[in-house]
Amino acid sequence: MLKQGLRTFLERQLREVKAEIFQITGRYGVSGVEEMEARYRDGTLEEADTWRDLQRLDHLEYKRDRLLKLLEALS
């Protein structure tokens, strides 16, 4: 029972993280942090107004990966 409750909690957290990732990547038309950084390098994305979103996206992708590992460990 406790294991199922933890799984449900982690899945809910994962859905929230994925939704926020989707929102940020959709805003800039990128697939993730690496593509966003590439757009900075080639000059197609202004860093001045978007660096907070880049930092947030990087954190969210890290959190997503951690949640996936935790869920895998529960299996």
Side-chain angles (χ1 to χ4, degrees):
M1 185 104 145
L2 184 60
K3 189 175 179 179
Q4 183 59 36
L6 180 57
R7 174 175 283 289
T8 301
F9 172 76
L10 292 174
E11 288 171 345
R12 185 177 302 126
Q13 292 293 309
L14 183 59
R15 275 193 305 275
E16 290 174 11
V17 166
K18 284 182 173 182
E20 195 169 346
I21 288 172
F22 182 75
Q23 187 178 38
I24 294 172
T25 57
R27 185 177 308 139
Y28 300 106
V30 297
S31 61
V33 169
E34 290 179 12
E35 187 177 347
M36 198 164 176
E37 288 174 340
R39 290 196 50 206
Y40 284 142
R41 284 191 297 275
D42 67 20
T44 58
L45 187 62
E46 285 292 323
E47 191 172 348
D49 297 327
T50 61
W51 66 272
R52 283 193 179 119
D53 283 338
L54 173 67
Q55 289 178 335
R56 181 71 181 151
L57 181 58
D58 187 43
H59 172 73
L60 289 167
E61 287 183 353
Y62 172 79
K63 191 172 180 179
R64 177 199 59 203
D65 294 344
R66 293 271 318 215
L67 287 167
L68 288 169
K69 285 180 184 177
L70 288 170
L71 283 166
E72 185 178 310
L74 282 175
S75 297

